[in-house]
């Protein structure tokens, strides 16, 4: 009986459900939602930036304007709110630290992101329905024009310093000048007293470089593509590794080497190796400065075996060989040739371990990427300032120390003002040894032809207006690999770049480019007719060339 009653109640419940459903004949109001279709308003788009309606390409620090075109399926779009976001293009990458950039209906912003590929996303929300719609653009950010190849001009300014960038390689093509680039990117100036700008080119394979600035008791490195602050010098070493920070030089052999970078701090050598792309995100610390060795602020090396440094010991007045990869000195043997070669008047040889005088300047006389054994020019002067001479030798990773040639006497009678010369520069395209070099005395630049013993002779190559202070003189050394120097027809070492302070004569501060004779090295043109000249700078402190990545 209970079983029959249960079946009856179940059938009654099912019948009730069926009857209820049959009576539901439209008790609900169905409303069609107002859907939105979003696209770029190409009538107001910059055609130089919008490659297609869905793809944007611009330079870092360019201003971007995007106006949306919104079509509604029913009437007006309604009450809308907006968000503009920039996200990574590849899922493996992280989003930018600030990826929500605007809440305006039309986007107007300056793109400061590092060069890369991103997605620009417009999110439009219908506040009446709460439904959001999206429009995605491919955003290709390339380096700012001033973040590419060109000459960096460091200048003193009130309460600080900054740089200008001249976007020319060798003066052959007229470049643009971008001023106050560091402050534009970082919102503040370089520290007062900044005296040196360096370009550090790492191994070509990792496609990386840094720009560094040195100032009293410190320094910093910035990204080369936009000059954004990267690391300050106090973070280059483990805490307590150095007690004071008198930094004098920062560089590398660049090009195709293994990526060794050096700094000279407190007259000591410190070093680190950039081996991989991972080191770009997390730079390795420098090894502590090598103790017990006081050196001149020059590192003699080349892109091949760039961990081997030839250094000059200021205390013992001789060269030493140092292997950064093992943090150890490499023995240089005693002088192995006849001592008659060392006679200061009749000899032309030199003893690497016993030079007796002060090395005042050293620079490569062949491209750094040419070979292991490129020639270097080293200039020496005695304590009294009465005797200056040049020593030339091919850089090595080992030395027999038996040089019988390579020392050239520079006498005032043939080389006017050589004993008080303040700057030197060395072209890198002439056959070695000998060749020519340039030196500065007062408002003149001399070209000196190197000859045996005391027969080297100099003539005036350039005379600037009276009262001119020559602030910097550099040879165009590109840092390109040897293959690229040839393939791109680069005038390596064949351009002399000079920065001047001509305020005494009303000329202001200038940067000149002078071509050099391809056979003799003679300076072509004159102060009034250079290959090119740029004006309008503040007081110039230093200049250097920055190559494009990968070259």
């Amino acid at each position: 009986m209970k079983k029959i009653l249960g079946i009856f109640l179940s059938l009654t419940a099912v019948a009730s459900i069926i009857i209820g459903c049959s009576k539901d004949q439209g008790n609900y109001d169905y409303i069609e939602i107002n859907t939105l279709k979003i696209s770029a308003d190409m009538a107001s788009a910059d055609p130089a930036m919008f490659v297609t309606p869905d793809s944007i390409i611009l330079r870092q620090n360019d201003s971007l304007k995007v106006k949306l075109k919104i079509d509604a399926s029913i009437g007006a779009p309604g009450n809308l709110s907006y968000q503009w976001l920039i996200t990574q293009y590849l899922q493996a990458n992280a989003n930018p630290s600030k990826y929500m950039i605007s809440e305006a209906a039309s986007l107007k912003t300056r793109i400061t992101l590092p060069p890369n590929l991103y997605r620009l996303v417009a999110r439009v929300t219908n506040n009446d329905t709460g439904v959001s719609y999206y429009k995605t653009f491919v955003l290709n950010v390339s380096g700012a024009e001033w973040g590419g190849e060109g000459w960096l001009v460091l200048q003193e300014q009130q309460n600080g310093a900054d740089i200008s960038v001249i976007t020319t390689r060798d003066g052959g093509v007229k470049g643009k000048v971008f001023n106050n680039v560091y402050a534009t990117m970082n919102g503040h100036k370089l520290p007062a007293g900044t005296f040196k700008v360096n370009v550090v080119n790492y191994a070509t394979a990792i496609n990386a470089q840094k720009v560094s600035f040195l100032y009293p008791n410190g320094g910093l490195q910035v990204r080369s593509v936009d000059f954004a602050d990267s690391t300050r010098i106090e973070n280059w070493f483990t805490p307590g590794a150095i007690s004071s920070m008198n930094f004098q030089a920062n560089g590398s052999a660049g090009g195709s080497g293994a990526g060794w970078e050096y700094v000279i701090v407190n007259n000591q050598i410190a070093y680190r190796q950039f081996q991989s792309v991972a080191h770009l995100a997390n730079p390795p610390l420098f090894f502590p400065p090598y103790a017990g060795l006081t050196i001149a602020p020059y590192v003699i090396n080349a892109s091949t075996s760039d961990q081997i440094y030839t250094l000059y010991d200021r205390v013992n007045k001789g060269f030493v060989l140092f292997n950064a990869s093992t943090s150890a000195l490499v023995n240089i043997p005693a002088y192995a040739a006849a001592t008659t070669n060392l006679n200061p008047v009749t000899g032309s040889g030199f003893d690497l371990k016993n030079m007796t005088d002060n090395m005042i300047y050293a620079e490569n006389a062949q491209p750094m990427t040419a070979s292991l054994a490129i020639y270097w020019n080293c200039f020496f002067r005695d304590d009294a300032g009465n005797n200056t001479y040049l020593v030339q030798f091919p850089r090595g990773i080992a030395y027999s120390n038996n040089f019988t040639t390579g020392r050239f006497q520079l006498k005032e009678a043939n080389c006017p003002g050589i004993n008080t010369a303040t700057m030197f520069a060395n072209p890198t395209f002439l056959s070695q040894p000998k060749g020519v070099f340039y030196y500065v005395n007062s408002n003149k630049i001399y070209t000196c032809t190197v000859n045996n013993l005391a027969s080297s002779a100099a003539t005036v190559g350039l005379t600037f207006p009276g009262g001119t202070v020559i602030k910097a003189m550099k040879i165009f050394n590109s840092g390109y690999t040897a293959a690229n120097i040839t393939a791109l027809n680069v005038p390596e070492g064949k351009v002399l770049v000079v920065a001047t302070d001509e305020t005494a004569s009303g000329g202001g501060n200038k940067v000149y480019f002078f071509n050099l004779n391809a056979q003799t090295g003679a300076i072509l043109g004159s102060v009034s007719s250079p290959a090119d000249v740029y004006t309008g700078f503040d007081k110039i402190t230093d200049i250097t060339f920055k190559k494009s990545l990968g070259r």
Side-chain angles (χ1 to χ4, degrees):
M1 180 68 183
K2 289 181 180 179
K3 183 176 181 181
I4 294 171
L5 179 61
I7 294 172
F8 173 77
L9 291 174
S10 298
L11 291 173
T12 303
V14 170
S16 299
I17 293 171
I18 295 172
I19 293 169
C21 290
S22 67
K23 290 181 180 179
D24 185 0
Q25 297 179 353
N27 294 332
Y28 302 99
D29 293 326
Y30 294 95
I31 301 173
E32 184 178 352
I33 192 170
N34 191 7
T35 59
L36 305 179
K37 181 181 179 181
I38 307 170
S39 59
D41 183 356
M42 296 303 291
S44 61
D46 184 346
M49 292 186 178
F50 277 80
V51 181
T52 71
D54 304 315
S55 182
I56 302 168
I57 185 168
L58 45 64
R59 289 184 179 273
Q60 186 183 38
N61 285 292
D62 278 352
S63 291
L64 174 62
K65 298 178 182 179
V66 183
K67 184 178 180 181
L68 296 176
K69 181 180 179 182
I70 300 176
D71 295 314
S73 60
I74 303 174
N79 180 21
L80 306 178
S81 59
Y82 302 83
Q83 280 188 326
W84 294 86
L85 307 100
I86 295 181
T87 68
Q88 83 284 355
Y89 185 80
L90 299 174
Q91 289 186 349
N93 295 341
N95 284 329
S97 57
K98 182 183 178 182
Y99 62 90
M100 207 283 283
I101 58 173
S102 178
E103 293 182 324
S106 296
L107 179 65
K108 183 178 180 181
T109 188
R110 187 164 66 95
I111 300 297
T112 60
L113 293 166
N116 212 328
L117 199 61
Y118 302 91
R119 296 187 191 276
L120 173 66
V121 180
R123 176 184 179 182
V124 181
T125 302
N126 187 324
N127 296 323
D128 297 325
T129 64
V131 178
S132 295
Y133 302 85
Y134 297 85
K135 172 61 184 175
T136 300
F137 304 88
V138 175
L139 181 65
N140 188 344
V141 180
S142 63
E145 190 171 1
W146 41 260
E149 194 163 82
W151 282 84
L152 312 185
V153 184
L154 178 63
Q155 299 149 81
E156 293 181 21
Q157 294 181 346
Q158 187 174 6
N159 301 319
D162 212 316
I163 59 169
S164 296
V165 178
I166 306 173
T167 59
T168 187
R169 183 176 66 186
D170 50 45
V173 176
K174 189 68 176 180
K176 298 178 183 177
V177 178
F178 295 89
N179 295 313
N180 301 317
V181 166
Y182 177 84
T184 298
M185 187 64 202
N186 296 286
H188 56 87
K189 295 182 180 181
L190 289 162
T194 300
F195 61 88
K196 185 73 174 172
V197 55
N198 314 279
V199 174
V200 184
N201 293 310
Y202 300 117
T204 305
I206 66 173
N207 199 37
Q209 66 182 181
K210 289 284 185 72
V211 175
S212 70
F213 300 95
L214 304 182
Y215 50 84
N217 299 312
L220 61 89
Q221 282 190 336
V222 299
R223 292 190 311 223
S224 68
V225 294
D226 58 8
F227 303 98
D229 280 340
S230 179
T231 60
R232 291 192 175 272
I233 230 160
E234 53 265 28
N235 298 316
W236 295 4
F237 296 89
T238 56
I242 52 177
S243 57
S244 61
M245 295 187 181
N246 175 28
F247 283 82
Q248 298 148 288
N250 177 211
S252 70
S256 56
W260 285 90
E261 176 187 359
Y262 62 83
V263 293
I264 297 177
V265 53
N266 306 326
N267 298 308
Q268 294 178 308
I269 187 76
Y271 40 91
R272 65 180 175 182
Q273 186 180 19
F274 264 76
Q275 289 181 291
S276 66
V277 176
H279 283 163
L280 301 179
N282 299 293
L285 297 174
F286 282 96
F287 286 95
Y290 186 80
L293 183 63
T294 302
I295 62 173
Y298 308 100
V299 174
I300 298 172
N301 65 347
S303 65
T304 303
S305 303
D306 65 343
Q307 77 277 20
I308 307 294
Y309 301 152
T310 300
L311 308 171
Y312 190 72
D313 183 342
R314 295 177 59 183
V315 175
N316 296 302
K317 290 188 163 64
F319 288 100
V320 296
L321 196 59
F322 183 78
N323 188 332
S325 65
T326 61
S327 298
L329 291 171
V330 179
N331 181 60
I332 295 178
Y335 189 66
T339 57
T340 53
N341 293 295
L342 304 179
N343 185 289
V345 177
T346 61
S348 297
F350 56 95
D351 180 357
L352 285 171
K353 300 183 72 171
N354 296 284
M355 298 300 296
T356 72
D357 292 309
N358 305 308
M359 189 173 77
I360 57 174
Y361 189 70
E363 187 177 37
N364 54 300
Q366 292 178 307
M368 292 286 280
T369 54
S371 69
L372 181 152
I374 62 170
Y375 267 85
W376 278 71
N377 282 0
C378 303
F379 296 85
F380 288 83
R381 188 175 290 158
D382 63 9
D383 288 334
N386 295 326
N387 184 39
T388 304
Y389 54 94
L390 167 67
V391 169
Q392 292 183 331
F393 63 91
R395 170 263 186 183
I397 58 175
Y399 294 104
S400 299
N401 196 19
N402 58 356
F403 292 101
T404 59
T405 61
R407 177 169 54 87
F408 305 93
Q409 303 168 44
L410 306 174
K411 299 300 183 182
E412 284 279 345
N414 297 330
C415 306
I418 190 66
N419 288 332
T420 52
T422 55
M423 296 178 190
F424 299 88
N426 301 273
T428 57
F429 64 94
L430 296 172
S431 60
Q432 296 296 324
K434 298 181 181 179
V436 306
F437 67 88
Y438 313 99
Y439 66 91
V440 170
N441 191 292
S442 186
N443 64 327
K444 294 181 174 62
I445 295 178
Y446 293 81
T447 302
C448 182
T449 301
V450 180
N451 291 310
N452 291 332
L453 297 175
S455 59
S456 297
T459 57
V460 176
L462 296 167
T463 301
F464 293 89
T468 294
V469 179
I470 298 174
K471 303 293 292 185
M473 178 176 66
K474 300 286 181 70
I475 292 291
F476 166 57
N477 289 321
S478 68
Y480 287 16
T481 63
N484 281 335
I485 289 174
T486 301
L488 299 174
N489 195 28
V490 176
E492 185 74 9
K494 297 178 182 177
V495 179
L496 183 68
V497 186
V498 181
T500 63
D501 178 352
E502 300 177 31
T503 53
S505 60
N509 300 285
K510 301 179 180 181
V511 176
Y512 293 86
F513 290 75
F514 298 97
N515 292 323
L516 304 175
N517 185 288
Q519 283 72 46
T520 66
I523 300 171
L524 303 178
S526 64
V527 171
S528 60
S529 59
D532 207 352
V533 63
Y534 297 83
T535 62
F537 301 101
D538 295 313
K539 188 174 181 180
I540 298 171
T541 308
D542 193 20
I543 58 174
T544 195
F545 178 74
K546 184 173 78 71
K547 72 170 184 175
S548 291
L549 290 174
R551 291 188 174 179

